[in-house]
């Protein structure tokens, strides 16, 4: 007997058994709660809009739950009406009664619900609007520029020199921060779901997003607009810190971390890396690629895709395109492994 016959024939020929059918119905009923609860597994975590750690994200979550509750209530009313209609034996509605039912249930009720939800959404919105960002003038500004496939991050505190960084964003908890969002190549979208809503980064345009982190922690941001081959590999760790710690961190970032001395540093310069990358305090002053002045202190390598270790830095230098397809950095796999390791160790030490 062939495999397919053995599998299909007994089922098709089995007589109907009320006992077995009853068992199946019971199994379906038991599976329903599990299926309903399954989506809630995504409600927490570093990249969840439903586990908010920022004022704006909390408002988005409130709006979501209000809309979900309203949707559920209306669904229950519709199902109850349906059950009533199929079970009741009452005579059909007269024309006037049917007209009233359509007017109240089909026009006035949905309009009232939609107007209420729209009003609630608009009432929540002001802090997401640009004029609120204007009100935050004089506070810390962070300029984030989307690139294929990384993020340039510049901290601009009032009356201080800008501090350039990349691929990670740090924020003081309890302080409102204005983000200036730009792009140099294609459209990207900046989104840290746990902290605030999403906003596009459009070439030739400057968008502003105002946000305030409320809970210290490490969150995950992502590019939310398809921007090329490695769009899915364009993440952005976001670290919310107590204001004092943030201040100390920013002061540390403003000072150079390393010199151009030592074997790894010399290799970095002699291989021309400084034409694209900047390391503060050295002759490397390129601005095409990510600023590496304090790369050793970042959590990840390659914009959120690998833990920051000397091994992973060496892997990235040797074959950026293999780790991040479409990356513009040339590969340096032709260098001896010892040289790659020396450069990676030098970069990892830039704390
Ligand atoms: Cu950048 Cu998608």
């Amino acid at each position: 007997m062939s495999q397919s016959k053995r599998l299909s024939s007994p089922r098709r020929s089995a007589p109907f058994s009320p006992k077995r059918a009853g068992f199946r119905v019971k199994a379906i009923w038991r599976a329903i709660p599990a299926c309903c609860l399954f989506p809630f597994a995504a409600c927490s975590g570093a990249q969840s809009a439903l586990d908010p750690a920022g004022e704006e994200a909390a408002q988005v979550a409130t709006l979501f739950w209000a809309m979900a509750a309203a949707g559920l209530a209306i669904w229950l009313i519709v199902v109850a009406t349906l059950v009533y209609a199929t079970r009741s034996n009452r005579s059909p509605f007269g024309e006037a009664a049917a007209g009233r039912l359509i007017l109240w249930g089909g026009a006035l009720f949905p309009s009232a619900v939609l107007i209420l939800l729209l009003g609630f959404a608009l009432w929540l919105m002001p802090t997401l609007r640009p004029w609120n960002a204007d009100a935050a003038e004089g506070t810390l500004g962070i300029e984030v520029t989307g690139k294929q496939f990384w993020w340039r991050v510049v901290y601009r505190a009032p009356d201080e020199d800008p501090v350039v960084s990349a691929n990670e964003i740090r924020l003081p908890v309890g302080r409102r921060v204005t983000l200036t969002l730009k792009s140099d190549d294609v459209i990207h979208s900046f989104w840290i779901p746990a902290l605030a809503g999403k906003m596009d980064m459009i070439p030739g345009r400057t968008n502003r997003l105002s946000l305030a982190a409320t809970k210290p922690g490490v969150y995950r941001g992502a590019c939310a607009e398809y921007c090329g081959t490695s769009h899915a590999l364009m993440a952005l760790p976001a670290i919310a810190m107590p204001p004092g710690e943030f201040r100390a961190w920013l002061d540390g970032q403003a000072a150079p971390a390393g010199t151009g001395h030592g074997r790894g540093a010399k290799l970095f310069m002699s291989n021309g890396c400084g034409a694209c990358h900047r390391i503060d305090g050295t002759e490397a002053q390129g601005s095409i690629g990510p600023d590496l002045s304090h790369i050793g202190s970042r959590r990840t390598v390659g914009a959120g895709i690998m833990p920051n270790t000397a091994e992973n830095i060496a892997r990235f230098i040797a074959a950026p395109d293999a780790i991040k397809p479409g990356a513009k950095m040339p590969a340096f796999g032709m260098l001896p492994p010892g040289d790659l390791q020396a450069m990676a160790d030098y970069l990892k030490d830039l704390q």
Side-chain angles (χ1 to χ4, degrees):
M1 199 193 269
S2 79
Q3 178 93 6
S4 63
K5 254 192 176 166
R6 220 187 308 140
L7 283 176
S8 60
S9 55
R11 233 164 217 255
R12 222 175 272 160
S13 60
F16 175 77
S17 138
K19 209 173 157 191
R20 262 175 76 183
F23 173 75
R24 272 188 215 143
V25 170
K26 264 189 208 155
I28 290 169
W29 275 112
R30 275 191 209 132
I32 287 174
C35 292
C36 292
L37 291 174
F38 178 69
F40 291 95
C43 288
S44 61
Q47 197 181 309
S48 174
L50 300 180
D51 189 4
E55 282 175 23
E56 282 66 28
Q59 290 172 342
V60 172
T62 306
L63 184 61
F64 170 81
W65 289 116
M67 287 197 163
L72 180 68
I74 291 168
W75 181 76
L76 288 173
I77 293 170
V78 170
V79 171
T81 313
L82 192 72
V83 171
Y84 173 74
T86 51
R87 301 240 165 141
S88 93
N89 288 324
R90 58 165 302 178
S91 53
F93 282 114
E95 205 160 295
R100 272 200 305 277
L101 185 68
I102 290 169
L103 176 69
W104 283 96
L108 296 177
F109 176 71
S111 303
V113 169
L114 290 175
I115 288 169
L116 270 175
L117 282 176
L118 180 67
F120 184 48
L122 291 175
W123 176 70
L124 287 178
M125 269 168 93
T127 52
L128 301 176
R129 301 297 89 195
W131 55 79
N132 202 275
D134 289 338
E137 209 67 57
T139 58
L140 174 74
I142 305 179
E143 185 184 301
V144 186
T145 308
K147 303 270 198 173
Q148 280 173 315
F149 301 94
W150 59 280
W151 316 82
R152 180 189 305 288
V153 182
V154 184
Y155 297 84
R156 295 183 192 278
D159 310 319
E160 286 175 38
D161 285 337
V163 174
V164 186
S165 182
N167 296 335
E168 186 171 287
I169 191 168
R170 300 211 180 210
L171 305 155
V173 171
R175 302 275 158 86
R176 186 152 287 279
V177 172
T178 305
L179 290 148
T180 309
L181 306 174
K182 300 176 176 181
S183 169
D184 274 355
D185 38 42
V186 297
I187 301 177
H188 303 269
S189 185
F190 178 93
W191 193 25
I192 306 171
L195 295 181
K198 182 194 295 180
M199 194 168 277
D200 277 2
M201 307 170 109
I202 302 167
R205 226 193 110 85
T206 300
N207 280 342
R208 297 224 257 174
L209 182 71
S210 172
L211 63 83
T214 48
K215 261 193 276 177
V218 180
Y219 308 102
R220 189 173 190 274
C223 180
E225 176 78 35
Y226 182 73
C227 54
T229 322
S230 282
H231 154 70
L233 299 174
M234 194 173 163
L236 182 74
I239 299 137
M241 319 161 83
E245 262 176 55
F246 174 81
R247 186 66 254 179
W249 172 83
L250 194 61
D251 290 342
Q253 296 283 302
T259 63
H261 308 305
R263 179 161 173 256
K266 288 206 178 85
L267 284 163
F268 186 90
M269 306 305 163
S270 65
N271 282 299
C273 308
C276 292
H277 297 283
R278 172 176 169 270
I279 296 177
D280 194 13
T282 74
E283 64 195 66
Q285 293 293 323
S287 60
I288 296 169
D291 190 288
L292 302 179
S293 299
H294 294 268
I295 184 185
S297 67
R298 292 179 204 151
R299 303 178 68 85
T300 62
V301 182
I305 55 172
M306 298 190 292
N308 190 356
T309 62
E311 288 68 33
N312 284 339
I313 295 177
R315 275 178 62 205
F316 199 93
I317 300 172
D321 200 52
I323 292 164
K324 192 170 253 200
K328 299 210 167 95
M329 176 173 152
F332 287 82
M334 70 293 190
L335 296 179
D339 287 6
L340 285 171
Q341 201 54 54
M343 277 202 279
D345 289 338
Y346 164 62
L347 293 172
K348 185 70 188 107
D349 281 344
L350 296 175
Q351 292 287 328

